[in-house]
Every structure is written in C-alpha cells, then in structure tokens.
Amino acid sequence: MTEWILWYKRIFSLQGFNDVGFHGSDEIPTPNIDALAYNGVILNSHYTQALCTPSRSAFLTGKYPIHLGMQHLVILEPEPWGLSLNETLLPQHLKRNGYRTHAIGKWHLGFFKKEYTPTYRGFDTHYGYWQGLQDYYKHTVHATYTSERGYDMRRNMTVDYSAKGKYSTTLFTEEAVKLISEHDTSNPMFMYLAHLAPHTGNDENPLQAPDEEIAKFAHIKDPERRIYAAMVSMLDQSVGSIITALREKQMLENSIILFMSDNGAQPEGIHANHGSNYPFKGAKNSCWEGAMRNIAAIWSPLIKHPQRISNHFMHISDWLPTFYSAADKNELPDLDGVNMWEAISEGSPSPRTELIYNIDDIFNYAAIRRGDWKYLYGSTNGGKGDKWFGGSDQSDVYHYDQNLVLASKVSTTLAGVITYQQIKEKNINIRLHRTANFSTKLLDEIKIEKLRDAATIKCKEINTNELPEHNKCNLLAGPCLFNIAEDPCERINLLLENPDKVRELKEAIEEYRKTAVPPRNVPRDPNADPLRWNNTWTNWQDYESITKEKIAFNSLSPLAVGLCSAAGVAIFIIIIMLLILNRKSSSENGKRNRTRDSLLKVEDPVIEIIPKKDNLFEDRGITGTSYSKR
C-alpha cells in the first residue's frame, strides 16, 4: 500500500434495488454504475436504515440509530435538532490520520446551530445543502408538512446564490471533479458525495431532469417513471465523470469507491419518486426488505478477489470500521459496526451474524435478523407500505445492452487500470519464473452475464392469497417471522411453525431496547422560517443568541469605556436640567390659575346623570342608560 489512499463514497437517496442494471433491470440503463459493480464486489445483502437521516448517522458514526437517538423519522425542515455533538464522526477520525475531508451534496443531520453543520463535524469543505431535499434548479426547500420555504445551497457556511438555475446533479459532479483535480496527492483524501438524485424535489415539481435526458426514455410509458429514469441516468453519468477524473489525477490506482443507496425507493405517497424495490416487499419508511436491503457495490484495486458477488449480510454502520481496517488503522472505540474488509476483499467468513433493523417505540415497530431468520412487528403509515410495489420491468420493448456497459467511461477507465496492473504482475511472474496468473481480468460479456444473473434476486412464484391464513403476514394484527435466505420476498410467515426462534428473537430485541437512548426529535421552531432570514434556511439559533447577548463591560476598549462614561454623565446633567425647568414651569402655572379664580364671575355648568329609557334598547328588551346635560 502506498502512502495515501482515497476513500470516495457515493450515497444516493431513495434509489430502488431494481433501478440499476446489475440487479436485473432492463428499463433504465446504468452502464457506468454497472461497470463499477461488475469490476468490484456486488454486496447483495447490504442493509441501511429505512430513512435517510438514520442511515447517514449510522454511516458516519458506526452505530445503530437506536444508540444515537436517531431511530424515529428524519429531521424535518424547521426542527432544531441534529446528530449529537458528543459523537465522533468518520471525517473527524480521518483528520487525526492526516486526511483531507470533503462533503458534497446532502447533509440532513442538523443545521439549527453551526456546530451541527458539516465543516464543524470533521469536513474541511462542504458544497451542497443542509436539508433533506431541494428543487433541482432553484435550490429552494419547501417544508414537508408546513408552509416555510427558502433557499438552501452552501459553500461551507456561505450561501451560494450562483447555483440558481443549475442542475443539482451537475453542480455536485463538477465540484467533485474540481476537488480531485486540485488535490495534493501527498495527503490522503476522503470524499463524501451525497447526491440529491434520485430523491424528489419539492412537492409542486417533484421530478426534474434536463429535457434532452428525458427524451432518451420515450419507451417508458409512465411519464413520472420516465423522468425518474432520466434522473438516474444523470446520476450514472456523474459516476463516469468522477471515475475518469480520478484516473486523470492518477488517484484511481489506490482508491476505494463505495456506491450505495441510503434507503429503498418510494413508489407512491409523500415524496414519491416512482423508483422500484422489486422483488422486495415494502417501501421507504417501513421494516420490510424493500426499505432497508439496498443497492451497494464497492470497487478498489486493493480488493484481492474482485468481480464477484458477496451474499454476506452487512449493515451501513459497518463501513467506518471496514474503511479503517483497509487503511491499516485500528484506534477506534467500541462500535455497533464490524470490520467487513476481509469478507469483502477475500471472501472470508463474515463476522456479522445479526443486525437490528430498528426499534421505534413511537411508531411501535421493530425488526431483527439473526442468521437467516427475520422477526418483525408493527407497521408504519397504517400499513400502506406493507405490500409489493410494481413488478419486473423486463419487456420486449427494451433489453439489457452489455456493449453499453463495456463502452462506458467507467469500464474503459478500469480496463486501463487493470491492464497496467496485469503488466506489473507479469513482470513479477517472470522474475519468479512463475506461470502468468492475473488476479484480475478484463470484463467481458460472459462475465457480465454471469455476475448479473447471480446478483438478480429471484423469488418463487407464490400466490399469497392461496396461502393458509397462519402463513399470511398482517403486521397490523401481529408479528411475523421469515426465513430471508429462502424467502427474501417475505411471502410466507413461519411464526407458528417456529415458536422457539420467535422467543429467541423477541428476547434479543428486548436486550437491544435496554441499550437504546430516547429519540432526539423535537417540535418545529417558528423562528426557523426563512422569511426571518432573507428567505434562506440558516443556522437560525446562532443569530437569535447574538441578538440576545449582552456586551460585557470588561470586554470594551479603554476608548469605548471613556465614551460610555461621558455619555452617562451627559445624560445625568440633561435629566437634572429638565427637572429644574419643569419645577419652574409648574410654579408659574400655579400663579396664573390663582389669578384666573379670583376673576371668575359665572359658575361652571353642572353635569347631571339622569337615567331614562332608550327606545333602541327598549325595543330589544334591554334597559339602557343615557346621559344629558341640565
């Protein structure tokens, strides 16, 4: 290993398991993403959280959200809370080891005070937005459940108005390419690129992509799905541009690149982006596989056995200790995440044997997986997400084009890296008089077909309506148990057949509950309204405290103290003079009044109050009182 290593992580919002070609989708071409996955390791059992704020907190801390207070919903736009400042984040760990750290795109871990924003949490730079979504061109954020609306695009702590009118995916790609091209490669770098795509924008215009990109998907009949496909396509092109930039900077040869989604797609309902989680059950914000078993693939020349599928299940909290191991660092505290590097790089047995999906005692749901078994109870959104959305997108209208993958920017770039790697291995073999045996070969159509087939989840055809009632799962009525290895689509409830396993997993959930901390969620703060802050979303509580602050007298300069003292003396003299003048004026007025009384010849008129009936009141059955002079 050389003296520097780049960890380049991409995390995408709401991209469904079936929205990339390497998982079997024919509808939306993703040649660059596919090429990255095929050349690396496809993580076929990678779990995140069901929502973006909990997922990001788990990734950056290496902890389950139940141990962070981040287990319930997300940080809504005007809410004053965030990931605890007591937590040490991945970029803070890396900075101690000499890394340059950069965040691009979405944050969504708190911003009501500056201490919660990226550049105060270990990142040297941040270009992007603090909220959970934004308009792709205007970069405004309309609150999800309330009326607040404001601009949200930052370069570090400064509002960047120059971004107006420019497409978010393009802006973030350009920023990543710029940082790579300007990087001093004598230092290691960590880049956290969290694209907006393919999350929705604001509700009045949720799906946005350039017209020329939308036109490429005329074969998709559903107009919303068509725009979604264009959004994913722009994302795919971003991957190609950035991998090319790494190669041009000669950084790719010692990089680790992780591609993953932070939660499942939202096919319908609030913030629906019309993504597909097929063949899994459920959607975002549920405890089903469709919400938490998501897209993930990793590439690096440091991986000893690439171009394969890994079915070891792992959790998003595992990445912090995994990255540390890859960089030969081990000074981490105890975490929920486990080191998966050898399992990924060499295919060795996985150290992870169970994971807690979540415990949310506000929504009253939880799920756990131990080995092949998954136990879950409770439902979110009144059970609206407890179903299978959509189906296979395979059709005679379109097909998977392997040549498109092989001709992509990522594929051609990695072909160059692999070729030079093979030359080194060839020379070593010649010196050692060994038969040439390359660790990595160039990708071809046969390899693509084999990997794609292995990465496509296939579930048995079952008519769930014909199942015995006790094998059907209704989370509104009671808990369920599934064998995920045999039934990844969660169709056959095996609760009654396995009472011992149910008891074991229920007890395991209770043990986790004992270690959980209360949710950090707090109600909205009206002072967050961008109307108060020049129509921008800002760290409003910092400015509130400034206006309430009192200036300490001992913090003033000698000149300021002298001026303040002089002003005080002047005010005292003015008050004394006003009192003297007022007394003199009162004395003169008294003399004038006595003179007037002595000259008065006519008595003042007497004003008498005479009760009498008022016709207006009398007509309404009310006795009134009027006043007259006499």
Side-chain angles (χ1 to χ4, degrees):
M1 183 179 295
T2 59
E3 63 182 6
W4 64 273
I5 179 173
L6 171 118
W7 295 346
Y8 161 62
K9 173 188 175 288
R10 302 176 57 80
I11 185 168
F12 307 105
S13 297
L14 285 158
Q15 188 167 6
F17 194 84
N18 195 44
D19 292 330
V20 289
F22 71 82
H23 277 316
S25 174
D26 291 343
E27 189 176 38
I28 305 175
T30 52
N32 289 292
I33 296 170
D34 292 359
L36 187 74
Y38 293 141
N39 278 289
V41 178
I42 297 171
L43 305 171
N44 240 28
S45 294
H46 183 270
Y47 287 87
T48 64
Q49 299 303 128
L51 292 165
C52 40
T53 292
S55 282
R56 291 161 197 275
S57 64
F59 173 79
L60 290 174
T61 63
K63 295 183 180 181
Y64 288 131
I66 61 168
H67 295 147
L68 300 167
M70 310 295 282
Q71 66 269 48
H72 179 66
L73 290 178
V74 299
I75 303 172
L76 292 174
E77 295 81 6
E79 292 179 348
W81 64 287
L83 180 59
S84 172
L85 299 179
N86 293 326
E87 299 296 334
T88 302
L89 307 192
L90 175 57
Q92 293 170 312
H93 287 298
L94 296 176
K95 281 181 70 66
R96 291 201 305 265
N97 289 280
Y99 276 73
R100 291 286 294 166
T101 57
H102 305 286
I104 303 172
K106 178 174 176 176
W107 179 237
H108 210 192
L109 290 174
F111 69 94
F112 69 105
K113 291 184 177 181
K114 63 180 183 298
E115 288 82 6
Y116 289 84
T117 61
T119 53
Y120 284 82
R121 308 224 59 178
F123 288 105
D124 293 319
T125 68
H126 172 239
Y127 181 70
Y129 58 107
W130 288 344
Q131 295 277 20
L133 57 85
Q134 64 169 203
D135 185 279
Y136 277 76
Y137 290 98
K138 298 176 182 177
H139 310 299
T140 54
V141 178
H142 184 192
T144 303
Y145 297 112
T146 47
S147 61
E148 298 95 337
R149 181 192 297 272
Y151 188 77
D152 184 16
M153 184 64 86
R154 297 268 171 169
R155 181 169 294 283
N156 304 322
M157 294 298 295
T158 304
V159 180
D160 178 24
Y161 291 106
S162 69
K164 287 184 178 180
K166 300 174 184 177
Y167 193 64
S168 292
T169 307
T170 303
L171 283 172
F172 300 148
T173 303
E174 291 174 349
E175 180 70 9
V177 170
K178 176 176 176 289
L179 286 171
I180 291 167
S181 66
E182 295 176 353
H183 180 64
D184 178 0
T185 56
S186 63
N187 299 312
M189 178 170 78
F190 171 67
M191 182 184 291
Y192 173 84
L193 172 52
H195 266 299
L196 168 63
H199 199 291
T200 58
N202 298 315
D203 284 345
E204 69 271 14
N205 193 9
L207 303 172
Q208 297 174 295
D211 290 342
E212 61 272 19
E213 203 65 30
I214 296 172
K216 296 177 183 178
F217 297 93
H219 60 276
I220 299 178
K221 293 181 180 179
D222 182 344
E224 291 173 310
R225 178 74 175 167
R226 189 182 308 144
I227 300 177
Y228 175 78
M231 294 160 68
V232 172
S233 181
M234 292 294 290
L235 189 63
D236 183 78
Q237 293 172 48
S238 173
V239 174
S241 297
I242 295 168
I243 298 298
T244 301
L246 289 169
R247 174 65 169 159
E248 291 174 352
K249 188 68 174 180
Q250 298 182 346
M251 296 169 68
L252 196 58
E253 292 79 359
N254 202 31
S255 296
I256 298 174
I257 301 172
L258 170 65
F259 173 97
M260 71 175 176
S261 176
D262 63 348
N263 52 253
Q266 182 78 330
E268 59 186 49
I270 188 170
H271 297 319
N273 68 346
H274 302 273
S276 172
N277 299 319
Y278 180 86
F280 297 136
K281 187 176 184 178
K284 173 183 178 179
N285 191 25
S286 74
C287 53
W288 299 103
E289 298 293 282
M292 302 191 191
R293 186 170 173 179
N294 293 310
I295 300 169
I298 184 170
W299 177 90
S300 174
L302 305 176
I303 294 175
K304 294 180 180 179
H305 298 294
Q307 296 183 352
R308 61 182 176 83
I309 310 296
S310 171
N311 289 306
H312 297 311
F313 70 91
M314 67 178 295
H315 186 255
I316 191 170
S317 63
D318 296 336
W319 286 112
L320 196 157
T322 298
F323 282 161
Y324 250 60
S325 176
D328 293 332
K329 309 295 182 184
N330 56 12
E331 72 277 15
L332 291 171
D334 290 337
L335 301 170
D336 295 316
V338 297
N339 173 18
M340 296 288 292
W341 182 246
E342 288 188 7
I344 292 171
S345 176
E346 303 174 25
S348 60
S350 172
R352 179 171 283 282
T353 58
E354 74 176 38
L355 66 89
I356 186 78
Y357 289 72
N358 198 27
I359 301 174
D360 186 338
D361 288 335
I362 297 177
F363 277 165
N364 192 31
Y365 84 89
I368 188 172
R369 178 174 172 181
R370 178 173 287 176
D372 295 340
W373 294 94
K374 175 181 178 180
Y375 172 82
L376 63 162
Y377 70 82
S379 181
T380 59
N381 299 320
K384 293 179 181 178
D386 299 348
K387 61 181 181 179
W388 294 270
F389 295 87
S392 173
D393 59 17
Q394 294 181 349
S395 168
D396 294 335
V397 178
Y398 35 79
H399 69 282
Y400 189 69
D401 190 348
Q402 296 178 344
N403 291 322
L404 199 63
V405 176
L406 293 171
S408 68
K409 284 185 176 181
V410 170
S411 187
T412 54
T413 300
L414 296 185
V417 173
I418 293 169
T419 298
Y420 281 99
Q421 184 177 339
Q422 289 179 337
I423 291 173
K424 292 179 181 178
E425 291 177 357
K426 176 184 175 181
N427 292 333
I428 291 172
N429 289 330
I430 290 173
R431 287 198 304 270
L432 298 177
H433 305 287
R434 293 188 312 204
T435 304
N437 185 21
F438 300 128
S439 61
T440 307
K441 297 179 181 179
L442 295 180
L443 200 64
D444 57 28
E445 293 183 9
I446 296 175
K447 191 70 173 179
I448 289 175
E449 184 177 356
K450 180 181 178 181
L451 289 169
R452 187 170 188 253
D453 181 68
T456 301
I457 302 296
K458 304 175 185 69
C459 296
K460 298 176 183 177
E461 290 296 328
I462 296 174
N463 187 341
T464 54
N465 294 324
E466 296 179 355
L467 287 172
E469 285 301 315
H470 73 274
N471 288 133
K472 296 178 182 179
C473 178
N474 179 5
L475 290 178
L476 296 176
C480 300
L481 179 75
F482 298 98
N483 186 314
I484 295 300
E486 296 179 1
D487 181 23
C489 295
E490 298 174 290
R491 295 180 178 182
I492 304 174
N493 179 15
L494 300 174
L495 187 83
L496 294 183
E497 290 87 342
N498 298 274
D500 291 340
K501 182 59 66 175
V502 171
R503 183 166 52 253
E504 173 193 332
L505 296 179
K506 285 176 65 176
E507 291 174 355
I509 287 178
E510 290 309 310
E511 288 301 311
Y512 275 110
R513 178 176 278 107
K514 292 176 183 177
T515 66
V517 299
R520 295 178 59 82
N521 308 63
V522 296
R524 67 181 287 269
D525 182 353
N527 290 327
D529 193 338
L531 285 175
R532 297 171 177 261
W533 314 106
N534 195 29
N535 295 308
T536 63
W537 291 100
T538 192
N539 45 311
W540 73 93
Q541 287 198 1
D542 288 326
Y543 298 107
E544 286 178 351
S545 62
I546 288 172
T547 59
K548 294 174 183 176
E549 242 177 45
K550 293 182 178 179
I551 300 174
F553 189 77
N554 59 7
S555 68
L556 299 176
S557 67
L559 178 60
V561 172
L563 290 172
C564 289
S565 301
V569 171
I571 291 170
F572 177 76
I573 293 171
I574 290 170
I575 291 171
I576 296 298
M577 291 179 67
L578 288 173
L579 289 172
I580 294 171
L581 290 172
N582 183 60
R583 185 174 180 180
K584 182 178 180 181
S585 175
S586 299
S587 176
E588 291 177 353
N589 286 337
K591 291 179 180 179
R592 283 196 296 270
N593 289 337
R594 284 192 297 274
T595 303
R596 183 199 66 178
D597 291 342
S598 64
L599 296 174
L600 192 62
K601 302 293 183 180
V602 182
E603 291 184 352
D604 290 335
V606 177
I607 299 176
E608 210 173 23
I609 300 174
I610 304 174
K612 70 175 183 178
K613 294 288 185 182
D614 188 324
N615 291 333
L616 177 64
F617 281 32
E618 191 173 38
D619 291 342
R620 299 185 182 184
I622 301 174
T623 302
T625 302
S626 64
Y627 305 90
S628 65
K629 278 187 181 182
R630 158 180 94 119

